[in-house]
Amino acid sequence: MSAVDKCLFCDIANKTIPAEIIYETKNVIAFHDINPEAPLHCLIIPKMHIATINELDAKNSFVVAYLYEAAAEIADKYNVAKEGYRVVMNCNKDAGQTVFHLHLHLLAGRKLSWPPG
Ligand code: AMP
Ligand code: ZN
């Protein structure tokens, strides 16, 4: 990403745009989705800018483990670990990706249908 490009989730990560942050470590930050699709719907993102899954490689893919570690901790904190939850990452247009900074959705608190639409 060039210096002139703006990324909403980079701005949330560096706190120039506010969000309801629920988890933060050196590499990862998580916040409530602005348009929740479930009683608990948060987004877990690496602080490092990675646009899509397609940009993952041997140098940056370590962050994906941290995203899942965050998911497990958040599920525990919000008491949804036992009942269950879904994590999903959309890639590009056919999957409906609208923000081009890697993010894991965590959805919980209701019965989720399968397969997703
Ligand atoms: P995706 O469609 O997978 O790219 O998901 C992007 C998600 O970001 C959507 O669920 C949006 O509701 C959410 N979103 C967009 N802007 C914000 C924001 N400023 N704060 C929190 N969530 C946002
Ligand atoms: Zn970004």
Side-chain angles (χ1 to χ4, degrees):
M1 198 176 60
S2 85
V4 291
D5 290 330
K6 274 277 178 196
C7 171
L8 173 63
F9 286 178
C10 280
D11 283 346
I12 287 177
N14 65 36
K15 314 228 172 104
T16 55
I17 286 182
E20 279 184 75
I21 294 165
I22 58 169
Y23 174 97
E24 182 168 8
T25 62
K26 181 166 164 267
N27 292 292
V28 169
I29 194 160
F31 47 93
H32 288 296
D33 195 293
I34 205 165
N35 185 23
E37 299 288 355
L40 174 62
H41 182 181
C42 68
L43 302 172
I44 307 166
I45 72 168
K47 289 184 175 175
M48 174 195 298
H49 182 83
I50 301 167
T52 79
I53 297 170
N54 295 336
E55 279 69 47
L56 286 170
D57 59 27
K59 282 200 185 122
N60 63 20
S61 65
F62 70 94
V63 299
V64 176
Y66 291 132
L67 300 183
Y68 278 85
E69 194 179 328
E73 284 195 29
I74 292 165
D76 182 51
K77 180 175 165 186
Y78 284 84
N79 290 313
V80 298
K82 187 157 175 276
E83 286 305 311
Y85 57 98
R86 181 169 296 158
V87 288
V88 63
M89 190 180 284
N90 297 319
C91 182
N92 281 338
K93 67 174 173 20
D94 275 4
Q97 185 177 6
T98 57
V99 178
F100 291 87
H101 179 126
L102 206 71
H103 53 280
L104 195 61
H105 294 255
L106 188 159
L107 298 126
R110 67 171 171 84
K111 182 92 176 115
L112 299 161
S113 59
W114 187 263

